[in-house]
Amino acid sequence: MRAMKRQTEHVGIPIGQGICGSAAKEGATIVIPDVGKDPRYLMCFAATRSEIVVPIKGSKGVLGEIDTDSSRLSAFSENDRETSKKWLRS
């Protein structure tokens, strides 16, 4: 079995840094249509063009996140943000 090559230096991202850290701090879903235009973006994969980060909340705050990247611009919409809110409430 071949060892997987590490794709990113951003293995742990502090609260408040990058898009993932911002979503954790705000406790809200963040949709970025073009990561190249967002100064918070920390590149993990060169092919990423857009991103959505959905925080998973528990009784004591954010427990984790679902972070999905796309190689297409504007792959995620405001409808995706609203759907994530409904999904996380159920």
Side-chain angles (χ1 to χ4, degrees):
M1 182 193 271
R2 276 189 337 188
M4 291 185 68
K5 191 173 183 179
R6 194 163 137 191
Q7 295 290 319
T8 179
E9 64 189 56
H10 305 292
V11 187
I13 298 172
I15 302 291
Q17 289 186 13
I19 296 169
C20 290
S22 295
K25 182 177 181 180
E26 296 169 20
T29 297
I30 297 179
V31 175
I32 306 296
D34 183 349
V35 297
K37 293 182 178 178
D38 193 307
R40 300 172 295 179
Y41 181 66
L42 301 173
M43 186 175 73
C44 292
F45 302 98
T48 299
R49 308 278 306 277
S50 61
E51 180 173 24
I52 184 171
V53 181
V54 180
I56 301 167
K57 299 178 196 175
S59 61
K60 295 183 180 183
V62 175
L63 302 174
E65 296 177 328
I66 299 168
D67 175 18
T68 305
D69 301 338
S70 177
S71 59
R72 293 184 301 125
L73 288 172
S74 301
F76 310 102
S77 67
E78 289 306 309
N79 185 52
D80 295 321
R81 179 195 315 269
E82 292 305 312
T83 300
S84 74
K85 288 179 188 177
K86 293 174 189 171
W87 178 74
L88 290 173
R89 281 194 294 257
S90 53

